Amino acid sequence: MSTPATTESAHDLYTHLRSRLRDVVPDVELRYKAELAARINTLKRERNAIILGHNYMEPALFHSIADVGGDSLELSRQAANTDKDIIVFCGVRFMAETAKILNPSRTVLLPSARGGCSLADGITADDIRALRERYPGVPVVTYINTSAEVKAESDIICTSGNAAKVVESLNADAVIFLPDEYLAGNVAKTTGRRIIFPTRAMPSVSTPTLEHALIAWTARCEVHDKFTLEDVRNIRTQFPDTVILAHPECRPEVVDASDFSGSTSAMIRFVEDTNAPRYLLLTECSMGDNVAAANPDKDMLRMCSVRCPHMNEITLEDTLEALTKTQHVIEVPEPVRVRAHRALTRMLEFS
Ligand code: 13P
Ligand code: SF4
């Protein structure tokens, strides 16, 4: 049973959630979730914890318990700088691992035993070691959506918000860029590089020249892979005054046909700043709910709803359990952490 103090804050939270989310979340769900959120917030204070929430968290959780919301880069910075004893990462495993790498003296909790990501699962540390043998001396830029072991094999990390700039900062002729095939395609376009896929047969050349090349991998985000050029064309035909925003994990032809591409937080800022009456987000659908709630004066087109199944594992119920039982604790072996930290710090210092 709830204490009076908890009941009071549950009511406050319900009022707060209702004012923001009444158009996107049913009332009965808001009442239930406000109760849970109030218990989490009480426990959070008692345990001196901070909750970081990625922009893909479901709306009620995002607006009730997250002390800080943001994209991968912003949340990494928050994780590195917090002085709280516990970091609860409402996101996926690679994000929680990044928090542990950057701030190892804190206890980092992920409210899910899994928390995967099709990009992080798409490459291993052995793959990078093999690439280094094949392309000696070529620097390795690795997307933050990877495991700690993969980060440890990398020279520098990048995020969706700084990928092209990180590649350019190296002033290198050839660069290995891992593991997202589409992000690599988008970075190759922005930086004017030729893209090479070592795992794919190149019919006309046996040994392609590495001059100004981006050597890429073939992992994909299972969510952004679903958006097609035809989707963009259909929207342009049906609703020509729509501003279309695509995450850089989308196919290069989709990004090309869109009006804006940027990290999840950059997309949120763009919607807030645009005068266009309607917009379409080519990204994960819970973020769509969060953006719709924050911009009630603009129409968000709902072309299709693609939910990240991994982000979807993070619930208020499991967050409460994680804080109550101190589970699931993220550990990174120290030799791996030290090397991964070097690659991450290089990015944070650069950006
Ligand atoms: P952002 O860094 O843009 O938030 O992206 C993270 C992610 O997983 C996108 O699918
Ligand atoms: Fe990974 Fe894609 Fe989910 Fe982001 S949306 S966590 S890249 S599977």
Side-chain angles (χ1 to χ4, degrees), residues 101 104 129 148-149 151-153 331-343:
I101 292 164
R129 285 190 281 268
E149 288 75 15
K151 287 186 178 75
E153 296 298 326
E331 301 288 3
V332 178
E334 189 58 10
V336 172
R337 192 199 69 77
V338 168
R339 294 169 67 216
H341 185 265
R342 200 179 307 137

Side-chain angles (χ1 to χ4, degrees), residues 54 56 71-72 94-95 143 145 160 224 247 249 263-264:
H54 186 261
Y56 289 169
D71 63 19
S72 305
F94 76 79
M95 296 179 176
Y143 192 33
N145 293 37
S160 60
H224 294 94
H247 192 274
E249 290 169 11
S263 77
T264 52

Side-chain angles (χ1 to χ4, degrees), residues 41-71:
N41 285 340
T42 302
L43 203 51
K44 180 171 71 179
R45 280 188 293 276
E46 285 169 12
R47 303 214 54 197
N48 194 28
I50 183 172
I51 298 186
L52 305 180
H54 186 261
N55 289 324
Y56 289 169
M57 288 298 102
E58 59 99 351
L61 184 156
F62 191 72
H63 288 92
S64 61
I65 61 165
D67 298 295
V68 187
D71 63 19

Side-chain angles (χ1 to χ4, degrees), residues 9-328:
S9 72
H11 180 74
D12 291 348
L13 267 176
Y14 165 72
T15 311
H16 165 76
L17 287 176
R18 194 172 144 66
S19 71
R20 296 214 162 192
L21 302 176
R22 65 177 166 274
D23 294 334
V24 292
V25 182
D27 191 63
V28 64
E29 188 179 326
L30 290 180
R31 285 182 192 280
Y32 167 76
K33 289 189 170 173
E35 186 71 40
L36 272 173
R39 289 167 64 193
I40 293 170
N41 285 340
T42 302
L43 203 51
K44 180 171 71 179
R45 280 188 293 276
E46 285 169 12
R47 303 214 54 197
N48 194 28
I50 183 172
I51 298 186
L52 305 180
H54 186 261
N55 289 324
Y56 289 169
M57 288 298 102
E58 59 99 351
L61 184 156
F62 191 72
H63 288 92
S64 61
I65 61 165
D67 298 295
V68 187
D71 63 19
S72 305
L73 183 59
E74 292 163 342
L75 295 180
S76 299
R77 287 189 190 290
Q78 292 291 336
N81 294 329
T82 187
D83 58 1
K84 298 283 185 189
D85 295 329
I86 298 177
I87 301 171
V88 181
F89 214 120
C90 290
V92 287
R93 178 165 294 269
F94 76 79
M95 296 179 176
E97 277 187 356
T98 301
K100 186 67 185 178
I101 292 164
L102 290 170
N103 207 338
S105 61
R106 313 294 155 199
T107 298
V108 178
L109 304 179
L110 180 69
S112 163
R114 296 175 303 272
C117 165
S118 62
L119 285 173
D121 295 342
I123 191 158
T124 65
D126 279 347
D127 293 328
I128 303 202
R129 285 190 281 268
L131 283 168
R132 282 203 189 271
E133 264 180 37
R134 184 162 169 185
Y135 303 105
V138 177
V140 177
V141 177
T142 298
Y143 192 33
I144 198 163
N145 293 37
T146 43
S147 68
E149 288 75 15
V150 164
K151 287 186 178 75
E153 296 298 326
S154 311
D155 292 303
I156 183 166
I157 306 304
C158 73
T159 70
S160 60
N162 61 19
K165 283 191 184 139
V166 167
V167 167
E168 277 172 340
S169 76
L170 297 175
N171 285 322
D173 195 19
V175 173
I176 298 173
F177 186 92
L178 308 167
D180 185 345
E181 168 180 352
Y182 297 150
L183 183 62
N186 289 314
V187 168
K189 277 211 162 138
T190 311
T191 58
R193 287 173 178 268
R194 269 176 338 100
I195 191 159
I196 294 173
F197 291 99
T199 52
R200 282 186 188 154
M202 309 265 295
S204 54
V205 238
S206 51
T207 318
T209 162
L210 294 186
E211 202 184 326
H212 215 51
L214 201 65
I215 301 162
W217 200 246
T218 52
R220 295 176 184 177
C221 163
E222 67 194 85
V223 171
H224 294 94
D225 195 22
K226 297 208 168 68
F227 300 112
T228 65
L229 182 57
E230 200 187 351
D231 294 332
V232 178
R233 286 189 176 141
N234 287 341
I235 293 292
R236 293 256 186 250
T237 309
Q238 291 163 20
F239 309 103
D241 54 358
T242 302
V243 167
I244 301 179
L245 299 86
H247 192 274
E249 290 169 11
C250 289
R251 296 160 190 269
E253 66 267 27
V254 168
V255 168
D256 263 4
S258 302
D259 299 300
F260 177 78
S261 180
S263 77
T264 52
S265 289
M267 293 167 98
I268 291 168
R269 286 191 288 270
F270 189 94
V271 171
E272 278 162 6
D273 293 346
T274 184
N275 292 325
R278 59 188 58 85
Y279 61 93
L280 172 73
L281 296 178
L282 299 178
T283 193
E284 207 279 336
C285 69
S286 269
M287 179 169 126
D289 289 335
N290 290 328
V291 175
N295 296 275
D297 52 324
K298 294 169 191 158
D299 288 340
M300 185 177 87
L301 294 188
R302 295 276 187 172
M303 183 194 65
C304 64
S305 252
V306 189
R307 178 74 171 125
C308 171
H310 313 291
M311 294 282 184
N312 200 39
E313 286 168 17
I314 307 300
T315 61
L316 285 166
E317 287 86 345
D318 287 347
T319 306
L320 180 59
E321 202 176 351
L323 259 176
T324 309
K325 296 184 180 167
T326 316
Q327 71 178 25
H328 306 273

